[in-house]
Amino acid sequence: MTDLIRSAALTHYPDIARSVGLDPNEMMRRARVPLACLDRPEVRIAVTGFRRLLETSAAVSGAQDFGLRMADRGGLTNLGPVALVVREQPTVGSALEALARYIHIHHDGMRLDVERSGSTVTIALGLRGRHPSASNQSIDLGLGTVHRVIKALCGDKWRPLEVHFSYAPPRDRSHHREFFGCPLVFNSEIDAVVISAQDLGRRIASAHPLMASYLRKRVEAIDTRPGGWDEKVDEVVRALLASGNCTVERVAEHFACNRRTIHRHLAECGTSFSAILDMQRAALVTKLIEDPGRSLSAIAQQLGFSAQSAMARWFRSRFGCSITDWRKGVRPAKPRVDATAKAGGHSARV
């Protein structure tokens, strides 16, 4: 199953790409990462495409520290709901536990293992599915993010004891030394940030216990990440429909594959793209038509219908009444739930 990452991970990519002489749009097209994701940080994209973008950007620009440049602009700010629960923990130790526990909400393919041994603590990075010879930038970004998170909690004067990298040392290690400010170990057996065990007990001055408890419950409520192709496609379709640009081709871009792959995997799950699109349209359309300031033609366009009349026919088939009747308060006893793209699929951009 394709691992996904929140598009927020690319928030600073365009600026960093330009700073090393790259055209960010061209690089994203080359890596097959959808350009539209830059405007929607919560939409998910394939981890493989994200990693390919980092490695290609480093190779084309010659900037071997590209991943660190990304980490330098990121840290807690890019982690969304994970950042909220991490920064409200009472101590650095509990914050690291929360980070390790919930990081998958931001990045499906990333794992953190926090292990204490005597006076030191090792925070080991695991990147699922990575190719051993083409992941240096992803490793740097992952370790750099961990470093930035701890530094944000401990203060600018904090330094780790060591940082380990499983790859060979780059030609120029000056940025690595400056960034981490500690001894670096290359060709290591692990990718990890090593800190003092005393750091775990550091109090986080800005933490609020009641807020931490509330945020933990909220994060745990969204902790059940979609597992199968049908669930993950459903999540992406829901996000893209809100932006008015949902087609099977667009969805395939987010999974770094083609439309045939999407159709095949959904068929194996016993569903189809048209069925998922239909369900998400039905969930969204009733909210949109409640807004009197939103025209039906604009709603039809957002939902991917070729014309307002096509949406009207689909709506009547799906809900058993016209849009006009629905707006007047007419509610059929039981809207149809077995409708598929048959009613409107011929006019939809699927």
Side-chain angles (χ1 to χ4, degrees):
M1 181 62 219
T2 299
D3 286 327
L4 303 178
I5 184 172
R6 292 172 60 250
S7 296
L10 288 172
T11 299
H12 302 291
Y13 175 78
D15 290 340
I16 296 169
R18 294 187 192 100
S19 73
V20 294
L22 300 177
D23 178 341
N25 291 353
E26 173 59 29
M27 296 306 299
M28 290 177 69
R29 281 191 289 266
R30 183 184 300 193
R32 301 192 297 279
V33 174
L35 296 176
C37 73
L38 294 175
D39 298 322
R40 298 190 61 80
E42 295 304 321
V43 173
R44 296 179 181 274
I45 59 174
V47 170
T48 53
F50 177 73
R51 290 174 180 163
R52 182 168 52 243
L53 178 63
L54 295 184
E55 304 301 331
T56 304
S57 297
V60 173
S61 67
Q64 288 187 296
D65 60 348
F66 197 89
L68 284 186
R69 292 173 186 243
M70 291 282 288
D72 202 17
R73 296 285 297 274
L76 271 173
T77 59
N78 283 353
L79 300 183
V82 178
L84 297 178
V85 70
V86 167
R87 68 187 182 191
E88 294 296 341
Q89 298 304 309
T91 66
V92 171
S94 57
L96 288 176
E97 289 177 3
L99 180 64
R101 178 175 179 180
Y102 298 119
I103 189 62
H104 65 279
I105 293 176
H106 170 71
H107 185 335
D108 279 346
M110 181 176 174
R111 296 293 182 270
L112 296 174
D113 182 21
V114 182
E115 183 176 347
R116 179 169 180 168
S117 178
S119 61
T120 64
V121 175
T122 300
I123 307 158
L125 172 71
L127 298 178
R128 185 166 60 189
R130 65 182 175 87
H131 191 286
S133 64
S135 58
N136 295 10
Q137 305 308 317
S138 297
I139 292 171
D140 282 358
L141 176 56
L143 295 178
T145 297
V146 171
H147 177 273
R148 279 291 185 239
V149 168
I150 301 175
K151 196 168 187 178
L153 301 175
C154 294
D156 288 338
K157 294 183 178 180
W158 174 84
R159 295 290 184 274
L161 299 177
E162 291 180 341
V163 177
H164 289 243
F165 307 85
S166 59
Y167 61 82
R171 292 188 304 274
D172 183 0
R173 282 167 271 182
S174 59
H175 191 188
H176 286 72
R177 295 193 187 101
E178 178 185 359
F179 184 96
F180 292 105
C182 68
L184 307 176
V185 182
F186 291 93
N187 289 318
S188 176
E189 294 182 355
I190 59 173
D191 299 301
V193 176
V194 181
I195 67 175
S196 169
Q198 293 181 348
D199 289 333
L200 298 183
R202 290 196 186 205
R203 306 295 298 181
I204 300 175
S206 60
H208 193 292
L210 292 179
M211 182 61 70
S213 177
Y214 168 76
L215 290 171
R216 183 181 290 274
K217 291 178 182 177
R218 292 295 300 271
V219 170
E220 287 176 349
I222 63 174
D223 189 22
T224 305
R225 301 288 313 126
W229 274 90
D230 54 340
E231 294 175 318
K232 289 194 173 186
V233 169
D234 183 81
E235 181 184 38
V236 172
V237 166
R238 182 168 61 251
L240 292 183
L241 269 182
S243 67
N245 189 17
C246 183
T247 66
V248 67
E249 289 82 9
R250 291 294 185 190
V251 171
E253 286 182 357
H254 284 259
F255 289 86
C257 65
N258 57 42
R259 61 182 293 163
R260 291 189 299 276
T261 300
I262 294 292
H263 288 314
R264 184 178 73 254
H265 283 297
L266 291 180
E268 292 170 353
C269 294
T271 186
S272 67
F273 180 79
S274 295
I276 290 175
L277 179 62
D278 183 79
M279 291 295 293
Q280 288 302 331
R281 278 174 169 168
L284 182 58
V285 70
T286 54
K287 299 176 183 178
L288 296 178
I289 63 176
E290 292 294 340
D291 181 359
R294 193 185 297 263
S295 70
L296 293 183
S297 60
I299 295 173
Q301 182 177 13
Q302 176 174 341
L303 295 181
F305 289 98
S306 60
Q308 179 180 329
S309 58
M311 181 181 71
R313 290 192 298 273
W314 167 83
F315 189 93
R316 182 179 290 278
S317 174
R318 193 66 164 79
F319 293 94
C321 68
S322 69
I323 295 177
T324 300
D325 288 340
W326 185 279
R327 281 180 160 176
K328 291 179 179 179
V330 175
R331 298 291 187 272
K334 187 176 182 181
R336 291 183 57 186
V337 296
D338 59 336
T340 65
K342 182 178 179 181
H346 64 282
S347 60
R349 298 193 302 268
V350 299

